[in-house]
C-alpha cells in the first residue's frame, strides 16, 4: 500500500514537485505537467503525452530527447484536464504542431480532444492519438474500444523518434497509427493497488488465485485462474498474445517484435527476469526475433502485484524507430550528443495548480436580478459539494465493483473546486451565468477524468442558458438542463441504456421540462424531476455497461447502480433543498 503521503488530495501535485526537483537535467515544470528542459529544434513536431498519476514512469518519466516533449499529469488515476493539457502543449510547441498521445480511456479522450480544439483555436496545428493495446478489454472486432496499458511506451516512442527525425505532423501521426495497429498487450495480477489514504485495495484476489486481463487503474481482471508458476504465467501471456496477430502478419515465425515485460508495481525485478527467461524461450520457439526487449516497470499501478506482456510487431521502419536513442529520467537507450539547455524559456512554476481556476479581477457586467440568482446558484453548489463529500466513500465503493473506484474522489475534488470558484466570482458581483461558468472550469480542471469533463459541460451549459442579464425563470433553467443533457451526450457519445449518468440526466431533463411546461414553480418542478432521477439511478442496477472502464467487467456490475448515475441523482435532490431554502 501507499504509506508515505501527507494530504492524499495533494499527493499527485507533491509527487510531481518532487519529481521535477530530482530531474532538472531532463524536465522543467509548467502548469499542468512537465516539458523538456533541453532545447528542441524549431519546427519539430511536439509529442505531448499524458494521463493520470499513479503510473510512474508513465507519464512524466518519459519526457526527454528521443521521447516525449511534454507530459500532462492528472490526479491519481484521473486524466489531466483540458486546461492542463493545453498548458503543457503550448509550452512544448516549437512551431511544428502538436501530437497529443494518451491511453484510450473515456476521460483522456474527452480532455485531450477538448485541448486539441483549444490549441487549434490558438492557431497550433494539433492531432490526437489514443493507444488501445489491451486485448483483454475488447475483442478484435472492437479494437478501437480497447484500453491503453504498457503498449503506450512503444507507440509513444515510435512517434517521438519520427518527430526527432524532422517529419511533419501528418507523417508522425501515421507512424503512431502504424505502431498502434501492431501493438498488443495482456496482463495478470495477484493483488489490487491501494490509493494514498485508502485503507483497502481497489480489488482483492482470493488466495492461490490470479486475476486475468487487468487494467492499470485498479480495475479487476475479467476472470480468475489458479495461481501459476513463473513458467506457467509466461506461457499464458505469450500464447494469449500469439493468438491475435496484426492483420498483415499471418504467422509469427520469421517476424521481429519489440517485447516489454512490465511490472505493475510490486513484482520484483528478479521475479520479472524469472518470467522473462521463459517468455524469451517461448517466443524463440515460435520463430519470433526479439528486438531490444525491456524488462522492468514501465507503466505501473501504484502497488499492484501484477505483470503484463507487450508485443509490438516490427517492420523495418518501426524497428529503426524502436532502436533510436532516447534520454529521459526513466527510459534511456543508445547515445545522444550533449544536450543544449533551453535557455530561451524561463521556468514556469506549477503554483497555479494549487487553486482551482482563479477568478479574474473583474467579471462581466450583470443585472441585479442575475446577481441575486447567483446567490441561489452558489447555495446549490454548496449543497452539491456537501452531498458529494458525505457520499464520496459510497460512490467509490460502487465504482470499484467494475471500475477503478475513484469516482467519489474525483467528484469531491471537482465539486469542492467548483464551489470555491463560484464563491470567488459571486464575491466579485458576478451574475448567475458567470458564476456557473467559473464553477464549470474549476470542476473540469481539478477533477479531471470523465466526470470532470462531463460536469464541466453540464455547468457551462447551464451558465450559458442563464446568462448574466436576466432573472432566470423556471423555463430558462429547464432549457439549460436540456441543453446540458444534449451536450453531455454529444461529448461522451453515451445514450440511455449504456449504464452511465446519461441514464439519469436524460429523464431528469425531460421531467423538468415537462413540469415547467405545466407551469409549476422551479422548486416544485425540480422536486418532481429529482424523484424521476432517483428512480432512474436505481434502475441502472439492472443494466450492463456498454461504455467506460466498467464495460470489460459488465457482468460484475449487474445488480449495482452506475456510480455516475447515482451521484447525479444525489445531486439533484441536494439542489432541490437549496432551491427550497432560497425560494
Amino acid at each position: 500500500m501507499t504509506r508515505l503521503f501527507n494530504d492524499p488530495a495533494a499527493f499527485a501535485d507533491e509527487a510531481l514537485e518532487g519529481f521535477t526537483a530530482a530531474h532538472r537535467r531532463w524536465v522543467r515544470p509548467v502548469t499542468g505537467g512537465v516539458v523538456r528542459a533541453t532545447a528542441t529544434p524549431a519546427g519539430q513536431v511536439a509529442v505531448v503525452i499524458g494521463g493520470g498519476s499513479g503510473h510512474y514512469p508513465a507519464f512524466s518519466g518519459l519526457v526527454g530527447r528521443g521521447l516525449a516533449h511534454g507530459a500532462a499529469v492528472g490526479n491519481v488515476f484521473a486524466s489531466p484536464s483540458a486546461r492542463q493539457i493545453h498548458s503543457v502543449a503550448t509550452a512544448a510547441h516549437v512551431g511544428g504542431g502538436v501530437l497529443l498521445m494518451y491511453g484510450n480511456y473515456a476521460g483522456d479522450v474527452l480532455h485531450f480532444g477538448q485541448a486539441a480544439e483549444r490549441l487549434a483555436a490558438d492557431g497550433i496545428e494539433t492531432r490526437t492519438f489514443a493507444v488501445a493495446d489491451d486485448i483483454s478489454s475488447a475483442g478484435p472486432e472492437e479494437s478501437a474500444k480497447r484500453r491503453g496499458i504498457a503498449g503506450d511506451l512503444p507507440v509513444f516512442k515510435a512517434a517521438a523518434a519520427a518527430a526527432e527525425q524532422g517529419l511533419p505532423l501528418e507523417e508522425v501521426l501515421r507512424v503512431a497509427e502504424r505502431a498502434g495497429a501492431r501493438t498488443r498487450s495482456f496482463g495478470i495480477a495477484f493483488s489490487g493497488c491501494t490509493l494514498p489514504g485508502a485503507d483497502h485495495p481497489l480489488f482483492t484476489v482470493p488466495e492461490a488465485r490470479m486475476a486475468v486481463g487487468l487494467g492499470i487503474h485498479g480495475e479487476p481482471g475479467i476472470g480468475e485462474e489458479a495461481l501459476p508458476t513463473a513458467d506457467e504465467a509466461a506461457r499464458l501471456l505469450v500464447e494469449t498474445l500469439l493468438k491475435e496477430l496484426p492483420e498483415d502478419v499471418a504467422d509469427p515465425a520469421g517476424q521481429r517484435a519489440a517485447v516489454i515485460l512490465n511490472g505493475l508495481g510490486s513484482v520484483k525485478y528478479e521475479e520479472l527476469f524469472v518470467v522473462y527467461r521463459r517468455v524469451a524461450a517461448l517466443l524463440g520457439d515460435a520463430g519470433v526475433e526479439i528486438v531490444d526487449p525491456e524488462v522492468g516497470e514501465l507503466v505501473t499501478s501504484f502497488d499492484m502485484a501484477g505483470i503484463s506482456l507487450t508485443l509490438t510487431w516490427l517492420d523495418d521502419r518501426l524497428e529503426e524507430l524502436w532502436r533510436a536513442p532516447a534520454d529521459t529520467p526513466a527510459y534511456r537507450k543508445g547515445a545522444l550528443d550533449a544536450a543544449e539547455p533551453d535557455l530561451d524559456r524561463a521556468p514556469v512554476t506549477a503554483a497555479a495548480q494549487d487553486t482551482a481556476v482563479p477568478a479574474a479581477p473583474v467579471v462581466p457586467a450583470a443585472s441585479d436580478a442575475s446577481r441575486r440568482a447567483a446567490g441561489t446558484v452558489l447555495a446549490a453548489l454548496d449543497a452539491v459539494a456537501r452531498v458529494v463529500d458525505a457520499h464520496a466513500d459510497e460512490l467509490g465503493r460502487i465504482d470499484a465493483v467494475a471500475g477503478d473506484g475513484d469516482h467519489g474522489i474525483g467528484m469531491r475534488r471537482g465539486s469542492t473546486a467548483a464551489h470555491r470558484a463560484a464563491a470567488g466570482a459571486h464575491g466579485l458581483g458576478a451574475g448567475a451565468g458567470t458564476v456557473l461558468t467559473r464553477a464549470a472550469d474549476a470542476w473540469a480542471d481539478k477533477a479531471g477524468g470523465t466526470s470532470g469533463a462531463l460536469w464541466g459541460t453540464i455547468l457551462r451549459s447551464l451558465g450559458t442558458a442563464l446568462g448574466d442579464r436576466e432573472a432566470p425563470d423556471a423555463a430558462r433553467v429547464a432549457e439549460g438542463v436540456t441543453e446540458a443533457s444534449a451536450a453531455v451526450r454529444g461529448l461522451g457519445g453515451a445514450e440511455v441504456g449504456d449504464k452511465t449518468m446519461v441514464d439519469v440526466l436524460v429523464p431528469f431533463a425531460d421531467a423538468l421540462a415537462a413540469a415547467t411546461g405545466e407551469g409549476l414553480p422551479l422548486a416544485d418542478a425540480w422536486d418532481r424531476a429529482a424523484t424521476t432521477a432517483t428512480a432512474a439511478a436505481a434502475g441502472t442496477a439492472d443494466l450492463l455497461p456498454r461504455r467506460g472502464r466498467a464495460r470489460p467487467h459488465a457482468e460484475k456490475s449487474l445488480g449495482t447502480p452506475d456510480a455516475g448515475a447515482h451521484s447525479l441523482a444525489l445531486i439533484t435532490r441536494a439542489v432541490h433543498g437549496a432551491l427550497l431554502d432560497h425560494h
Side-chain angles (χ1 to χ4, degrees):
M1 62 185 296
T2 309
R3 296 176 176 86
L4 296 175
F5 55 87
N6 298 307
D7 178 0
F11 183 88
D13 288 345
E14 292 181 350
L16 185 62
E17 181 182 351
F19 166 77
T20 56
H23 296 294
R24 297 179 192 275
R25 168 185 158 190
W26 291 276
V27 300
R28 63 184 179 90
V30 297
T31 299
V34 295
V35 296
R36 292 184 186 179
T38 54
T40 299
Q44 187 174 108
V45 172
V47 174
V48 174
I49 64 176
S53 298
H55 304 303
Y56 192 84
F59 296 87
S60 55
L62 303 179
V63 174
R65 292 188 301 158
L67 242 161
H69 295 75
V73 182
N75 253 302
V76 174
F77 289 178
S79 68
S81 69
R83 175 177 169 267
Q84 290 176 293
I85 299 160
H86 177 269
S87 169
V88 172
T90 300
H93 181 241
V94 289
V98 173
L99 176 59
L100 301 176
M101 302 186 71
Y102 45 92
N104 190 32
Y105 297 90
D108 295 281
V109 172
L110 294 177
H111 285 288
F112 277 91
Q114 290 175 336
E117 293 174 358
R118 297 183 190 183
L119 291 165
D122 293 344
I124 298 175
E125 190 176 8
T126 307
R127 300 291 183 271
T128 65
F129 185 78
V131 181
D133 58 302
D134 177 20
I135 67 171
S136 70
S137 54
E141 71 285 354
E142 294 185 305
S143 59
K145 295 182 179 180
R146 287 176 169 173
R147 304 177 287 208
I149 51 174
D152 284 353
L153 174 61
V155 182
F156 291 169
K157 188 176 187 303
E164 293 279 5
Q165 294 176 349
L167 296 183
L169 180 58
E170 290 299 336
E171 291 189 35
V172 174
L173 174 60
R174 280 196 288 272
V175 166
E177 291 170 342
R178 175 70 168 166
R182 283 177 153 249
T183 298
R184 307 283 189 276
S185 299
F186 183 71
I188 58 177
F190 317 109
S191 70
C193 61
T194 304
L195 301 184
D199 59 3
H200 59 276
L202 290 176
F203 71 89
T204 57
V205 180
E207 191 73 23
R209 304 284 289 176
M210 71 172 175
V212 177
L214 59 127
I216 58 168
H217 295 93
E219 307 99 320
I222 59 174
E224 287 182 3
E225 295 185 10
L227 187 68
T229 64
D231 284 0
E232 290 168 345
R235 181 173 296 279
L236 172 65
L237 294 170
V238 171
E239 290 183 349
T240 300
L241 289 180
L242 291 184
K243 288 176 183 177
E244 189 189 316
L245 302 174
E247 291 182 359
D248 55 351
V249 176
D251 190 317
Q255 298 292 327
R256 292 162 288 169
V259 178
I260 297 174
L261 184 62
N262 176 59
L264 281 155
S266 64
V267 174
K268 304 305 294 182
Y269 272 68
E270 285 87 350
E271 295 175 89
L272 292 173
F273 292 137
V274 171
V275 175
Y276 183 74
R277 55 175 270 289
R278 189 58 181 156
V279 167
L282 290 169
L283 289 173
D285 291 344
V288 178
E289 178 185 347
I290 298 173
V291 178
D292 281 4
E294 296 286 348
V295 180
E297 293 183 348
L298 284 310
V299 181
T300 62
S301 183
F302 273 114
D303 60 334
M304 183 186 290
I307 59 176
S308 64
L309 181 66
T310 297
L311 301 180
T312 297
W313 298 95
L314 303 172
D315 54 22
D316 291 344
R317 179 69 173 128
L318 290 178
E319 181 174 351
E320 174 194 2
L321 299 171
W322 176 241
R323 290 185 181 274
D327 184 26
T328 78
Y331 184 87
R332 297 163 204 170
K333 177 178 285 189
L336 289 162
D337 295 335
E340 293 292 331
D342 192 352
L343 300 177
D344 295 332
R345 296 169 182 255
V348 179
T349 69
Q353 291 179 321
D354 293 337
T355 62
V357 179
V362 295
V363 295
S367 68
D368 290 342
S370 185
R371 283 196 291 267
R372 286 193 295 272
T376 302
V377 169
L378 181 60
L381 289 169
D382 177 52
V384 169
R386 285 188 285 107
V387 76
V388 167
D389 184 64
H391 291 271
D393 291 344
E394 174 195 5
L395 295 173
R397 287 193 298 272
I398 293 173
D399 190 36
V401 170
D404 58 8
D406 70 344
H407 184 70
I409 296 171
M411 290 291 288
R412 177 185 278 152
R413 283 194 302 255
S415 59
T416 300
H419 178 249
R420 186 184 303 122
H426 181 255
L428 293 170
T434 295
V435 167
L436 279 164
T437 54
R438 294 283 172 87
D441 289 342
W443 193 314
D445 190 51
K446 294 303 287 185
T450 305
S451 65
L454 298 181
W455 273 100
T457 297
I458 289 170
L459 296 183
R460 180 167 289 278
S461 296
L462 283 168
T464 300
L466 267 57
D468 291 329
R469 292 294 184 181
E470 300 179 18
D473 57 16
R476 187 179 293 272
V477 172
E479 177 185 346
V481 172
T482 297
E483 291 174 358
S485 174
V488 165
R489 282 177 287 162
L491 181 64
E495 293 293 344
V496 173
D498 286 343
K499 195 164 187 171
T500 70
M501 71 182 304
V502 168
D503 289 297
V504 171
L505 184 56
V506 169
F508 173 75
D510 290 346
L512 185 63
T516 56
E518 295 173 12
L520 287 181
L522 179 58
D524 293 341
W526 196 282
D527 181 28
R528 182 189 294 181
T531 299
T532 299
T534 300
T540 62
D542 299 325
L543 299 175
L544 292 175
R546 298 197 291 245
R547 290 184 173 272
R549 291 180 188 169
R551 183 185 52 78
H553 315 288
E555 295 296 338
K556 290 186 177 182
S557 78
L558 195 61
T560 302
D562 175 70
H566 185 54
S567 62
L568 175 55
L570 291 171
I571 285 170
T572 62
R573 181 51 63 191
V575 170
H576 175 247
L579 292 176
L580 286 176
D581 292 341
H582 287 73
H583 183 63

